[in-house]
Amino acid sequence: MNSFIQDSAIDLSLDLQQHYAHLLVFPQCYDSFIPAPHLPISALLDFTNLPPFDHSLTVADLHRFFTSEHCVTNDVPADFLDRSLPPLSLSTQLLNTFSQAYHDGVKSVKDPWFLGNLPFWVVQYWHDLGCAIAAKERWSLARDWLSGQRENADTDLAAAIDEVFSSLQVLGWGTTLRGPAAALQVLDLAEFLSSTPMKGRFIDAMLRDRSVRWFIEAYKAVNKTDLIKKAFALCKAGEDDKSNLSFESLTSIDTLRDLRDLPRTDPDMWQRIQLRSTTMRINDDSVDAEVSLPEDDVVESDGVDDEAPLEVVLEHIMSDKTYVPEGYIMGTDGSLIVDGAADKHCDMISPSDSEGIEEAGRGKRRRIANTQYGEYDAH
């Protein structure tokens, strides 16, 4: 490699970068020979006057393209447009090393197979035209693959293939994708239209930030009242799916009536959903027996159970809270409260029986097994 292509990179100022970029701008009259990036893929495939690549040249020939001889004109020979191009990998490398080569004394560019020197802008022209040629080659393979799949496709697959062909008439061949796949070019989609395994970078592009996006979208969704109501309303049950988990259904007259009649219409179901045990009782002979239970399963003997049974509550609600069962009173909020709950559920001790009573206090009360949830584990 020539001495002006050094391994050490230079620190380019903004002015120098702009100067090098100006040297690479080719005359506007050559723009028409390069398909514009926004040109549809189908139009690119119809381009017939694109020169071929010269695959005999490789990156190892990089040094053959730079010379310290001056170029006396900014124009190119008449046969320049008919010449083959260096491969895209080589023209890309030429473009990347141009600023360093120019800093090291390069004066012009030359084509290894032709005499004479060429202006610097030829490097940019080779690269831009090479991108279009490479894109046409890849999309040609993709179109041929699609046509082959279309021959024996069923109705659904044929419709999908036709939709892809329609997209080829809209997508610009050199544009960039949007959204999570913004790191990919439209050209990368051509690799999806083949039987080769998908590359990891494409999978990364499809999944990039998706977990965060999914979480944010889910968070927004669960905070939409209408959506949550709809979800509960779709949880249906009963004959003809007439009941559901919506608030309106759970508090409706029909649902409350069904719950009220459940002990009669389906005794087994009623037995399973009751919270209050009806099968486990402590007989009179064992009431005073101390039962050793874990602390969580022990209830203080002076506790008061003022909770009304479910059937009583339902009957109260069905009467629009005008009926108060015997032994209950209605609180200020409309709820049922056991009347005299302390007298019903606490053993009263007369003064004459107080002698010999063990000292009471925290940790010294007699512990009695809780019978309210005796068969709760069987639910």
Side-chain angles (χ1 to χ4, degrees):
M1 186 173 292
N2 288 1
S3 59
F4 45 74
I5 303 181
Q6 304 292 338
D7 293 333
S8 59
I10 58 173
D11 184 14
L12 300 178
S13 65
L14 181 60
D15 292 339
L16 280 177
Q17 293 180 32
Q18 293 177 346
H19 175 64
Y20 296 149
H22 176 72
L23 294 175
L24 294 172
V25 176
F26 49 84
Q28 191 173 0
C29 60
Y30 292 96
D31 286 342
S32 59
F33 298 102
I34 303 177
H38 64 271
L39 190 71
I41 298 170
S42 58
L44 175 66
L45 295 174
D46 293 336
F47 241 84
T48 58
N49 58 345
L50 297 178
F53 285 127
D54 183 359
H55 292 287
S56 64
L57 296 172
T58 64
V59 177
D61 300 310
L62 185 66
H63 65 283
R64 300 173 59 187
F65 286 86
F66 289 126
T67 176
S68 57
E69 300 176 1
H70 286 276
C71 181
V72 295
T73 178
N74 196 42
D75 206 352
V76 291
D79 63 343
F80 174 76
L81 297 177
D82 298 327
R83 299 179 184 179
S84 59
L85 268 65
L88 181 59
S89 58
L90 178 55
S91 61
T92 301
Q93 190 67 18
L94 288 171
L95 198 61
N96 292 338
T97 59
F98 169 73
S99 57
Q100 182 68 53
Y102 183 84
H103 178 77
D104 292 338
V106 166
K107 303 300 182 183
S108 63
V109 179
K110 62 183 302 184
D111 190 330
W113 306 127
F114 297 91
L115 297 176
N117 301 327
L118 301 172
F120 289 130
W121 60 260
V122 168
V123 175
Q124 187 70 60
Y125 177 84
W126 280 340
H127 176 268
D128 293 355
L129 185 56
C131 289
I133 296 173
K136 181 182 177 181
E137 292 179 352
R138 291 173 61 179
W139 279 113
S140 295
L141 294 175
R143 180 185 58 182
D144 294 342
W145 182 85
L146 272 177
S147 300
Q149 298 294 318
R150 183 67 172 79
E151 294 178 358
N152 301 319
D154 56 25
T155 304
D156 294 337
L157 181 57
I161 293 176
D162 291 340
E163 185 177 354
V164 174
F165 275 121
S166 299
S167 299
L168 298 185
Q169 299 177 7
V170 179
L171 292 174
W173 70 267
T175 54
T176 302
L177 296 177
R178 298 178 181 179
L184 300 180
Q185 301 288 326
V186 169
L187 180 59
D188 293 320
L189 297 178
E191 295 202 23
F192 288 88
L193 304 177
S194 66
S195 300
T196 58
M198 187 180 299
K199 294 182 179 178
R201 66 189 186 96
F202 296 149
I203 299 177
D204 293 341
M206 289 189 292
L207 297 179
R208 181 177 294 114
D209 297 333
R210 293 311 300 171
S211 58
V212 176
R213 292 176 183 269
W214 288 331
F215 180 81
I216 294 175
E217 292 173 1
Y219 176 79
K220 293 179 179 178
V222 298
N223 283 279
K224 293 181 179 178
T225 306
D226 294 339
L227 182 62
I228 299 303
K229 288 183 177 180
K230 183 178 180 181
F232 278 98
L234 291 176
C235 298
K236 300 179 179 180
E239 297 180 0
D240 301 327
D241 294 336
K242 67 176 183 179
S243 300
N244 56 66
L245 292 182
S246 66
F247 178 80
E248 293 76 10
S249 176
L250 292 176
T251 58
S252 65
I253 297 299
D254 291 338
T255 301
L256 295 177
R257 183 180 294 111
D258 291 341
L259 289 175
R260 183 195 62 183
D261 298 339
L262 191 60
R264 176 176 53 82
T265 58
D266 194 345
D268 293 337
M269 175 68 74
W270 175 250
Q271 197 70 24
R272 289 198 301 269
I273 66 174
Q274 279 191 110
L275 294 181
R276 192 178 301 274
S277 173
T278 59
T279 60
M280 181 178 177
R281 294 186 177 90
I282 301 180
N283 55 41
D284 296 338
D285 296 335
S286 60
V287 169
D288 295 332
E290 292 191 7
V291 182
S292 177
L293 294 174
E295 188 67 26
D296 291 341
D297 296 333
V298 174
V299 60
E300 299 288 353
S301 61
D302 59 350
V304 178
D305 182 6
D306 58 351
E307 183 179 288
L310 179 59
E311 58 269 22
V312 175
V313 175
L314 292 177
E315 191 173 1
H316 174 64
I317 295 176
M318 291 297 298
S319 66
D320 291 332
K321 299 185 179 181
T322 59
Y323 168 72
V324 180
E326 183 180 357
Y328 296 89
I329 60 175
M330 187 166 62
T332 57
D333 59 351
S335 61
L336 288 179
I337 302 175
V338 177
D339 188 13
D343 294 335
K344 289 187 178 184
H345 295 278
C346 291
D347 293 333
M348 301 300 296
I349 303 176
S350 62
S352 60
D353 297 333
S354 61
E355 296 181 1
I357 298 294
E358 295 182 2
E359 182 182 357
R362 182 171 181 82
K364 298 181 179 180
R365 293 190 182 98
R366 192 171 50 214
R367 296 182 178 182
I368 301 175
N370 183 1
T371 63
Q372 184 173 358
Y373 303 101
E375 290 187 348
Y376 186 77
D377 293 339
H379 291 166

